[in-house]
Amino acid sequence: MPQSCQIRGELLARCVNENAYGIGLAGCGTVGMGVLRTLKRNGALIQQRTGGMQSFVVKRILVRDAAKPRSEEFAAELFTTDWRAVVEDPEVKIVVELIGGTDLAFAIVTRALELKKPVVTGNKALLAERGREIFALSLKYNTPIFFEAAVAGGIPIIKTVRESFVGNRIHAMTGIINGTSNYILQRMSEAGLDFQSALGEAQKLGYAEADPTLDVNGWDAAHKAILLATLAYGFPIATEDVHVVGIQQVKPMDIEFAKQLGYVVKLLAVIREHKDHAVEVRLQPSFVSRNHILASVNGVFNAVAVHGDAVGDAVFYGRGAGQDPTASAVVADLVDAGASLADDLVHRGFLPWREEGKLVPIEQTETAYYVRFDVTDRPGVIAEIAQVLADFKIGISGTHSPVNPEDPEAAFVDMVFLLHRCPYGLLQQALQRIEDLDCVNAQPVVFRIEQL
Ligand code: NAP
Ligand code: HSE
């Protein structure tokens, strides 16, 4: 080895011991374990890349069940069930929160900020629901909180919107930002799996939340959309102001019918600034043209299409969930957290920059629609539904009533209407009236047909 390299190697080794940042890791499940393994595998590389400045030593690990068998790679004495022992350990300089949920996670994050310990988290539910309080504490204690892993797994979309696009007015962000639901839709479509089996696979692969309800009811994606919108437009957005519909009601026939029309079904996050600067934020199963780039985002992959006034269109694509991709994002944040300590807490995290902003009421948002009705099959059903739509001046571009090949005489059928573009509020009023018709047996299921 040349002498200069040897000296550099020795210097680096000394740095590891003297300057390594102590980490308190709260949570050692899918992502936490991924972080430990990534640091073990690439710790020396990270140190080289950061000019010898950044190395990390895990000092304590919080888990719920201390008796659970853990990988033998990590010393048993690191593990504890006492969260204060992790956060308040004087050797812990950076706190990484990867337990999920919003109660204990809030206590951990806020205590760390009070102690002026930078925080890294992947917890979108926590930030979407309690971000206002957390960001206020971050400001108060001049201590950053980093959350790249909270949105779109391994895709560096937070850093991109916060830093790389800081010179842009963001006009729109459209994305597939839940890996589990995207995986389920694809497995239902291509492998003909039923909903529960597809969800079971996503859970086994480590994509789903501890409570997978959040994945399928759209709320995990909604939490992420709230974070992206807050980042782009600078004001806190309350969860109750966001319109969210999940994929629970998607049937194979919807996917099949979309395919025949040249679309694919995606759970789409739409974030868009209107001319009056009000912001539209919504989540709903949507028909996306098969020619659009988002249509080819399959399985656990996520993508976010951003339109900025300077950059124009840009699309970010990658794995949106899973152990290693998410660990990649957490470790990147760790390096930023370390740099913030070295810079005497120069703020590199993110804070909303204004208190007030306006959201577009969901009733005023407009698209075309696909609506599926569960109806009693008798003559005149189509005419009855069409009459109500006509009363509300909603145009129909097509109808379809697939016959069940196993029971062509079935009395109950699903009937599909394709509707012209109109305000969502108007559609809701019409659908309420239609639901009151004798021939309609259940609440109609609505998909947006997006023009992207
Ligand atoms: P996970 O596999 O369920 O792991 C959770 C970990 O936290 C476990 O080690 C668990 O302890 C510990 N824990 C949970 N509740 C606890 C409590 N009350 N007290 C002490 N320890 C507790 O979850 P994950 O998939 O790694 O997700 C962690 C976070 O990352 C969540 O906020 C999630 O939304 C986010 N995230 C996940 C992904 C992904 O692909 N999985 C991607 C991006 C972001 P035990 O080991 O003893 O059970
Ligand atoms: N459950 C989430 C998903 C994990 O499936 O996208 C990544 O945030």
Side-chain angles (χ1 to χ4, degrees):
M1 189 194 292
Q3 201 186 7
S4 60
C5 288
Q6 193 178 347
I7 292 169
R8 187 167 162 73
E10 281 166 11
L11 278 174
L12 287 179
R14 216 178 302 148
C15 284
V16 175
N17 297 329
E18 289 171 9
N19 297 337
Y21 294 116
I23 296 174
L25 179 64
C28 190
T30 303
V31 184
M33 186 53 84
V35 171
L36 289 177
R37 291 201 168 127
T38 304
L39 285 176
K40 194 166 180 200
R41 195 170 66 241
N42 295 339
L45 182 63
I46 293 167
Q47 202 198 1
Q48 286 165 343
R49 284 185 172 152
T50 54
M53 295 303 293
Q54 299 265 354
S55 62
F56 303 95
V57 177
V58 177
K59 295 286 181 186
R60 298 309 303 269
I61 303 174
L62 176 70
V63 289
R64 180 171 26 207
D65 177 3
K68 203 189 251 186
R70 310 276 168 188
S71 165
E72 284 164 15
E73 301 163 74
F74 304 103
E77 56 271 21
L78 292 178
F79 292 86
T80 173
T81 54
D82 175 1
W83 69 269
R84 286 185 183 276
V86 174
V87 178
E88 294 176 0
D89 184 327
E91 291 194 5
V92 165
K93 304 296 179 204
I94 300 170
V95 173
V96 181
E97 184 280 305
L98 293 168
I99 64 166
T102 51
D103 294 334
L104 179 57
F106 182 78
I108 289 171
V109 165
T110 52
R111 184 68 187 132
L113 293 173
E114 279 167 12
L115 294 170
K116 289 184 159 271
K117 299 185 181 187
V119 173
V120 175
T121 179
N123 194 333
K124 51 268 166 166
L126 175 70
L127 294 178
E129 285 174 22
R130 307 203 61 180
R132 206 181 193 125
E133 298 151 85
I134 290 170
F135 293 130
L137 282 179
S138 169
L139 187 63
K140 180 175 173 189
Y141 293 105
N142 192 29
T143 302
I145 173 159
F146 300 91
F147 53 94
E148 187 63 70
V151 182
I155 306 174
I157 190 67
I158 297 293
K159 211 177 203 9
T160 300
V161 176
R162 188 184 63 211
E163 294 173 24
S164 312
F165 288 172
V166 68
N168 283 258
R169 177 173 277 280
I170 307 284
H171 288 154
M173 286 182 282
T174 316
I176 294 163
I177 48 178
N178 180 267
T180 301
S181 56
N182 204 45
Y183 181 88
I184 292 172
L185 289 176
Q186 195 205 356
R187 296 293 285 158
M188 283 171 70
S189 160
E190 289 183 2
L193 253 63
D194 62 57
F195 192 95
Q196 279 309 325
S197 315
L199 172 60
E201 283 190 0
Q203 286 178 293
K204 270 199 203 114
L205 290 163
Y207 303 156
E209 296 301 297
D211 175 4
T213 320
L214 293 173
D215 292 297
V216 298
N217 70 10
W219 270 102
D220 176 77
H223 290 144
K224 295 166 180 168
I226 287 172
L227 291 178
L228 284 177
T230 307
L231 210 52
Y233 302 107
F235 63 93
I237 294 170
T239 47
E240 57 269 23
D241 292 338
V242 176
H243 182 73
V244 183
V245 182
I247 62 164
Q248 309 97 310
Q249 305 229 49
V250 178
K251 285 187 175 182
M253 70 163 283
D254 303 316
I255 296 172
E256 186 50 41
F257 193 55
K259 212 184 274 178
Q260 286 169 24
L261 292 170
Y263 294 100
V264 292
V265 176
K266 295 289 177 197
L267 178 65
L268 209 63
V270 174
I271 302 163
R272 189 180 287 144
E273 189 181 36
H274 286 215
K275 285 207 178 82
D276 63 355
H277 299 308
V279 180
E280 180 177 340
V281 184
R282 58 182 169 81
L283 260 295
Q284 201 160 347
S286 305
F287 282 20
V288 175
S289 164
R290 72 164 154 250
N291 298 322
H292 192 274
I293 196 163
L294 292 181
S296 55
V297 176
N298 287 321
V300 72
F301 280 83
N302 282 193
V304 184
V306 184
H307 186 87
D309 63 348
V311 72
D313 287 311
V315 179
F316 299 87
Y317 172 80
R319 287 179 194 278
Q323 185 165 69
D324 288 350
T326 312
S328 162
V330 172
V331 170
D333 275 354
L334 268 175
V335 172
D336 276 353
S340 79
L341 285 170
D343 275 2
D344 198 17
L345 297 180
V346 167
H347 216 292
R348 292 176 193 209
F350 152 74
L351 294 171
W353 66 87
R354 58 182 169 141
E355 260 304 297
E356 297 301 329
K358 209 167 59 171
L359 286 180
V360 178
I362 192 65
E363 295 75 20
Q364 290 172 19
T365 61
E366 281 195 26
T367 55
Y369 305 92
Y370 160 103
V371 188
R372 173 163 42 79
F373 299 96
D374 174 345
V375 295
T376 304
D377 190 18
R378 59 169 164 73
V381 168
I382 293 184
E384 283 180 56
I385 295 176
Q387 184 57 54
V388 178
L389 292 166
D391 292 346
F392 282 88
K393 297 194 169 35
I394 297 174
I396 301 169
S397 53
T399 66
H400 179 62
S401 178
V403 172
N404 178 353
E406 279 153 33
D407 186 4
E409 299 295 323
F412 301 101
V413 294
D414 282 319
M415 184 167 286
V416 165
F417 277 66
L418 296 170
L419 304 178
H420 287 176
R421 192 176 173 86
C422 73
Y424 194 68
L426 189 69
L427 177 70
Q428 289 303 323
Q429 289 175 38
L431 293 183
Q432 266 167 25
R433 183 89 71 76
I434 290 172
E435 230 183 297
D436 291 341
L437 296 173
D438 287 347
C439 58
V440 174
N441 303 312
Q443 200 178 22
V445 178
V446 179
F447 293 62
R448 300 261 186 174
I449 302 178
E450 295 285 352
Q451 257 190 325
L452 298 173

